[in-house]
Amino acid sequence: QESPRVYTREEVSSHCSPKTGIWVTFGHEVFDVTEFVDLHPGGPSKLMLAAGGPLEPFWALYAVHNQPNVREILAQYKIGELNPEDKAPPTLENSDPYAGDPPRHPALKVNSQRPFNAEPHPELLTENYITPNSLFFTRNHLPVPNLDPDTYRLHVVGPPGGQSLSLSLDDLRQFSKHEVTVTVQCAGNRRSEMTKVKEVKGLEWTTGAISTAHWAGARLCDVLAQAGHHLSETEAHVCFEGLDSDPTGSAYGASIPLARALDPEAEVLLAYEMNGQPLPRDHGFPVRVVVPGVVGARHVKWLGKVSVEPEESYSHWQRRDYKGFSPSVDWDSVDFDLAPAIQELPIQSAITQPRDGETVESGEVTVKGYAWSGGGRAVVRVDVSLDGGLTWQVAELDGEVQRPRKAWAWRLWQLQAPVPAGQKELNIVCKAVDDSYNVQPDTVAPIWNLRGVLSNAWHRVHVHVAP
Ligand code: HEM
Ligand code: MTE
Ligand code: MO
């Protein structure tokens, strides 16, 4: 066998365009990936960021590459090795952009370490109506920025003839302080149930990508008014930019309709407190958006910029993600422009106790869970079945009763029921009803979608009964 061809880093770096060919390195190996660029599942533009240099800094950021099949794909394109005289290549460790992430609570079930995504275990989730900050689910797309509260500024772009603002944390505290209890749910909550029907792309959340906190901050409508935004135009949107950014410098972003932002009754907050504490770093320190009744993706953390635009945010997460499609749509046929961005979420409920596969005592069983609906719609009832949906009992609702059209937080619920004599197993099911009489679909397959969002079918748990 021939010894591999040897290249210098300089040679590699000169291969960074379609004309020269596109080379990358990983460890001490060199690859010509020109043919792969257009096939890259993450898109050609992302791959091109690494053209002519090492993959490590980028793969450290997108841990999806940390699997054998990705390494096999790369291996096909090997053309040689780096000159060993060249200085040591970067490793995943010494180029880890996540090295500065905060410490986390060990009770969180981690779905992805980089970026950090984790949910509380179900049995802890419904222990408290207000989720403790350290257990609140975390959904990060990028490394957590390390922001200095003393130099932090929120940039608010004014309208033509209005006034742009640069607000310090103290400036924000000068606005009247508004407090509201709000449940935040990720569009991907319960995605793992969709995966069981057919593979989807996304993090494998179980039932815990949802949490509730008491938030305090300035109302977005007050801040926008100070910048001169008073008039609600139905076509306009308020765009938010986070201060977390990827290697291209493109930040996390999202938008909501201006009408919601300007409606004082919608209670959209620029929050600086979560359960009486400054926001934890994972949840947006020092300032995040809280949009009651709306999907988590719009609650932009580490908020850096607010602007009113004629169009929705051009961010990937507004336009190319967080949308629902028919079960018939696949990755070859999907056209993201055809579906609206998710804003208000549909009615949802899940069982947190007992756990699937658990053995329960005969005699009496206690079933517990949560229920929540988007848009301020109140949960009015939760039905529970022990026999797979043949017969139903009404659960008892706990937690705050909220004002009509402003039911921003979940209800916890429970049912104590006798276990029918002689039963060896129970198929426990729950389903909730909101005050528009919206109900949950009974099965997952008809609402399956390629991104695995909006997973809100009846929640089912199978348990054994102790003899
Ligand atoms: C996804 C391979 C370079 C960003 C993927 C996937 C593969 C892949 C196989 C799909 C993984 C899965 O869904 O299970 C490669 C190869 C590369 C390369 C062989 C180099 C030759 C890059 C670079 C970046 C990047 C340099 C970033 C700057 C992404 C992103 C995704 C992805 C964002 C999508 C993750 C998602 O769908 O959530 N890549 N990649 N890739 N890649 Fe790469
Ligand atoms: N804001 C920024 N800047 N960066 C992010 O990655 N993730 C969004 C949203 N805001 C995100 C963000 C998503 S998809 C969700 S579900 C919520 O934050 C999660 O908020 P949490 O981590 O406080 O639970
Ligand atoms: Mo999310």
Side-chain angles (χ1 to χ4, degrees):
Q1 208 187 323
E2 285 177 57
S3 58
R5 284 211 50 185
V6 170
Y7 303 97
T8 63
R9 284 194 180 277
E10 240 184 293
E11 268 175 284
V12 174
S13 68
S14 68
H15 291 84
C16 59
S17 73
K19 234 161 89 195
T20 55
I22 292 145
W23 294 9
V24 294
T25 65
F26 191 73
H28 60 276
E29 298 180 314
V30 179
F31 307 87
D32 178 349
V33 294
T34 317
E35 299 294 309
F36 179 70
V37 175
D38 285 328
L39 305 174
H40 178 230
S45 64
K46 285 254 167 33
L47 196 157
M48 284 305 290
L49 296 172
L55 287 169
E56 282 88 343
F58 302 96
W59 282 12
L61 203 56
Y62 298 100
V64 64
H65 300 96
N66 226 332
Q67 26 174 346
N69 71 310
V70 176
R71 302 296 160 86
E72 277 161 29
I73 294 171
L74 186 62
Q76 298 167 22
Y77 300 102
K78 180 166 173 181
I79 53 169
E81 300 193 341
L82 278 172
N83 185 349
E85 326 261 89
D86 261 20
K87 65 177 180 338
T91 64
L92 284 179
E93 266 84 72
N94 68 23
S95 53
D96 181 3
Y98 293 94
D101 270 21
R104 275 103 184 193
H105 197 284
L108 291 171
K109 189 158 67 74
V110 178
N111 295 330
S112 131
Q113 196 61 246
R114 298 142 201 262
F116 188 72
N117 287 284
E119 59 186 298
H121 282 276
E123 44 275 81
L124 293 178
L125 182 59
T126 49
E127 276 303 292
N128 309 282
Y129 179 71
I130 298 292
T131 317
N133 286 355
S134 58
L135 289 184
F136 203 96
F137 88 96
T138 301
R139 202 305 176 224
N140 294 341
H141 292 80
L142 295 161
V144 176
N146 209 343
L147 303 175
D148 177 351
D150 296 327
T151 57
Y152 169 82
R153 292 291 181 280
L154 172 62
H155 187 57
V156 184
V157 181
Q163 185 195 3
S164 288
L165 309 173
S166 172
L167 301 172
S168 68
L169 207 45
D170 272 342
D171 295 335
L172 264 181
R173 290 203 187 93
Q174 301 309 310
F175 290 87
S176 83
K177 185 175 177 180
H178 197 78
E179 304 191 23
V180 57
T181 304
V182 174
T183 295
V184 181
Q185 182 182 213
C186 182
N189 192 28
R190 300 182 59 199
R191 176 179 284 132
S192 59
E193 291 163 67
M194 280 198 175
T195 310
K196 285 180 196 146
V197 173
K198 203 170 103 188
E199 196 194 333
V200 300
K201 230 183 233 165
L203 294 160
E204 288 289 293
W205 298 107
T206 63
T207 50
I210 182 169
S211 298
T212 299
H214 192 69
W215 306 93
R219 283 196 307 199
L220 177 59
C221 59
D222 295 341
V223 174
L224 286 176
Q226 187 165 105
H229 296 286
H230 300 284
L231 286 181
S232 176
E233 302 154 62
T234 39
E235 292 304 312
H237 302 264
V238 179
C239 298
F240 306 117
E241 259 179 48
L243 292 165
D244 48 340
S245 58
D246 72 11
T248 50
S250 77
Y252 185 87
S255 61
I256 61 171
L258 178 63
R260 181 181 290 277
L262 288 185
D263 179 2
E265 296 297 307
E267 303 188 89
V268 182
L269 292 193
L270 304 182
Y272 45 75
E273 275 178 24
M274 179 177 183
N275 298 329
Q277 301 291 318
L279 299 183
R281 282 187 60 208
D282 263 332
H283 301 291
F285 181 81
V287 177
R288 82 176 300 169
V289 188
V290 172
V291 196
V294 162
V295 67
R298 315 297 166 222
H299 300 227
V300 174
K301 304 191 273 190
W302 313 292
L303 186 64
K305 184 178 166 191
V306 175
S307 61
V308 178
E309 310 282 351
E311 306 252 12
E312 283 184 277
S313 165
Y314 276 90
S315 124
H316 173 88
W317 296 279
Q318 188 76 21
R319 302 221 167 203
R320 291 288 171 272
D321 200 350
Y322 298 111
K323 295 186 172 194
F325 293 94
S326 161
S328 64
V329 172
D330 61 22
W331 287 100
D332 293 325
S333 62
V334 66
D335 181 349
F336 273 94
D337 292 329
L338 294 182
I342 300 169
Q343 295 280 351
E344 293 182 359
L345 283 170
I347 177 81
Q348 175 70 287
S349 71
I351 299 160
T352 54
Q353 182 196 316
R355 307 285 301 128
D356 195 45
E358 199 179 300
T359 299
V360 301
E361 297 300 313
S362 57
E364 199 179 58
V365 64
T366 301
V367 186
K368 284 189 182 183
Y370 63 76
W372 180 75
S373 191
R377 287 176 285 276
V379 170
V380 296
R381 201 180 76 229
V382 174
D383 299 326
V384 177
S385 172
L386 302 183
D387 55 13
L390 292 174
T391 62
W392 297 93
Q393 304 175 60
V394 176
E396 183 187 314
L397 298 181
D398 303 328
E400 288 172 19
V401 178
Q402 296 168 317
R403 286 159 298 165
R405 303 183 53 230
K406 295 170 85 163
W408 307 130
W410 63 12
R411 302 298 299 272
L412 302 184
W413 54 263
Q414 58 176 313
L415 176 81
Q416 252 128 9
V419 176
Q423 285 292 324
K424 290 201 176 61
E425 53 179 21
L426 300 175
N427 287 304
I428 309 177
V429 186
C430 78
K431 64 183 178 80
V433 184
D434 72 21
D435 61 6
S436 299
Y437 285 101
N438 289 309
V439 295
Q440 300 175 243
D442 55 348
T443 53
V444 183
I447 57 165
W448 183 95
N449 59 83
L450 75 174
R451 202 60 180 84
V453 292
L454 305 166
S455 182
N456 73 331
W458 297 358
H459 189 225
R460 297 161 191 269
V461 162
H462 176 257
V463 298
H464 308 276
V465 179

